[in-house]
Amino acid sequence: PSAFWAGQDVPPRQREVFRLFRRGLSDGEISAALSVSESTVRYHLNAACKRLGFPNRVAAARSDVPTEADDES
């Protein structure tokens, strides 16, 4: 994982949802990919945003937080 994620207190599932969101997947697409409900996706995404200090999803989407693809490079 990137240095950014190493310093964050974000549980693995929230991190996974956040990364998929940052890669541009919709709640429905994330839901299907992880076999969870869309409400669970929203819960994890909102919790991750709060832990990372974002006021909302729009701010998170516009952030420079690394995506999974960034971690692999």
Side-chain angles (χ1 to χ4, degrees):
S2 70
F4 173 85
W5 287 109
Q8 300 299 325
D9 181 28
V10 179
R13 192 60 147 186
Q14 290 179 14
R15 187 180 303 191
E16 185 175 19
V17 169
F18 190 85
R19 285 177 170 167
L20 292 172
F21 167 74
R22 286 279 293 120
R23 288 177 54 202
L25 276 68
S26 69
D27 290 356
E29 291 168 328
I30 297 168
S31 170
L34 301 180
S35 300
V36 298
S37 71
E38 286 187 46
S39 63
T40 298
V41 169
R42 287 189 293 274
Y43 170 81
H44 285 311
L45 184 54
N46 289 334
C49 286
K50 183 176 180 178
R51 286 176 182 260
L52 294 170
F54 295 112
N56 54 49
R57 294 167 61 122
V58 174
R62 293 180 177 167
S63 74
D64 60 356
V65 172
T67 64
E68 189 172 284
D70 296 334
D71 287 347
E72 294 171 359
S73 57

